[in-house]
Amino acid sequence: MANLDLTLPPPNDAQPCRPHQAIESPNMVRITVSLHLELDELEAEWRALDENSRNSLHQSFDWCVAWSRTHTHRFVVIRGACGQKPMFILPFAVERGLVRTARLIGSEHSNLNTGVFADLEPVPRVELVRALTDGMRQLRPFADVVRLERMPAKWRGVLNPFSALPGITHPNASFQLPLLHGMEATLTQLNAKRRRKKIRTSEKRLAEMGGYDYITARQSPQAHALLETFFQQKASRFAALGLPDVFSDAATRAFFHALVDRQTGGLFELDAIGLKGEYQGKIIAISGLLRKGDHVICQFGSIDDGVAADSSPGELLFYRTIERLCGEGVKLFDFGIGDQRYKRSWCTIKTSLRDIVVPLTPRGFLAASLYRAMTRAKRTVKANERAYAFLQRQRRRWQQGPGAED
């Protein structure tokens, strides 16, 4: 474990800070930054910080431990504390390649990254930034560059501690719907009449086939079975579009199964629409939900477009899920990252996200410059609908091989 001591002035002290000098004063705030290679040793205080509603579930202890036990990366955790009081935890996985890259654990499947923080009001912002950046520099023996991706500048009305660090806008935003007091009140934010009519049409078509069940699964073995059905549906969908299957990796699949088993606080559930009648038990829509307090993120979703596709089962599933959550104290339903038509039809909030890149070595400086350039290029292309559609068609042709048609 490596330690770095930063001596900070109190919030009202106008004197310049000398972070590497320990000055004896009862008004000084002393931050110690330490590195840890075992996640379990921080479990108690990590779970305590998880209680902060502004910390993303994607950096929660259960999420990170499930990832660490199904992947073979090196894992390094930065811990910041004032005396015995933990102030922040930043859990990193180091990915090896031409450049060693430290990313927040599970970033490739995260919809929202914030880090894990206590109430930081007593800490001067400039000194917090110094502590964070100096802490990340302690990763130099393990990584060439640090990438903090998909971070909001402000989340739920409060500035993210990383918002003062220089960053670039992520190519994709995320989309949210506030849940009010009941489904009727929630629908007043949208085109309520049209949406109710669409749901009635969906239910009428499914009634003609024998009806449907709305399923919520939090425990084994039902949740595991639905997860496997999701993987199958998603693989078929990606194949039809000529796109790579981001859930095909065995470690990724094992990770989501591990989340099902780590139900210490209602972390992960699967919702589904299942048919009755002739197609009894056939699952035609699935969503995976992550829940933390009054915030629910739709982690993923799929449909079986071979049966009852004209009944809009995905829309029906979202409707029934949001209706249920309105009665369970949830205040924010998060459709996650990515600009898609169905998200725009449901959501009233669009949250811009930022990427922060911290180079640690000469090789890391080159990688950081390349990453920023690629991110800006992606953002420019996605802002041009015609250019983006063209590139998507070319991508499908390349994935499908010679002779592929649009």
Side-chain angles (χ1 to χ4, degrees), residues 307-329:
V307 179
D310 62 348
S311 67
S312 302
E315 281 288 304
L316 177 60
L317 178 57
F318 280 130
Y319 189 96
R320 290 299 171 214
T321 297
I322 291 170
E323 182 179 50
R324 172 176 64 85
L325 294 175
C326 282
E328 295 182 3

Side-chain angles (χ1 to χ4, degrees), residues 153-217:
K154 180 182 287 187
W155 179 240
R156 305 197 76 171
V158 177
L159 285 174
N160 182 274
F162 284 102
S163 62
L165 291 180
I168 55 177
T169 303
H170 190 79
N172 293 306
S174 63
F175 294 82
Q176 295 83 33
L177 171 69
L179 303 192
L180 307 181
H181 301 292
M183 190 62 170
E184 289 303 311
T186 298
L187 288 180
T188 60
Q189 305 171 95
L190 310 168
N191 189 332
K193 183 177 179 180
R194 179 177 177 276
R195 196 165 297 276
R196 282 192 291 265
K197 180 180 179 182
K198 188 172 185 178
I199 294 306
R200 286 196 299 269
T201 300
S202 294
E203 293 188 320
K204 180 180 178 181
R205 289 173 178 170
L206 292 180
E208 293 170 352
M209 300 177 65
Y212 74 94
D213 286 317
Y214 168 55
I215 302 165
T216 298

Side-chain angles (χ1 to χ4, degrees), residues 121-133:
E121 186 176 350
V123 181
R125 189 169 180 79
V126 66
E127 302 301 341
L128 173 63
V129 170
R130 183 176 298 165
L132 292 173
T133 54

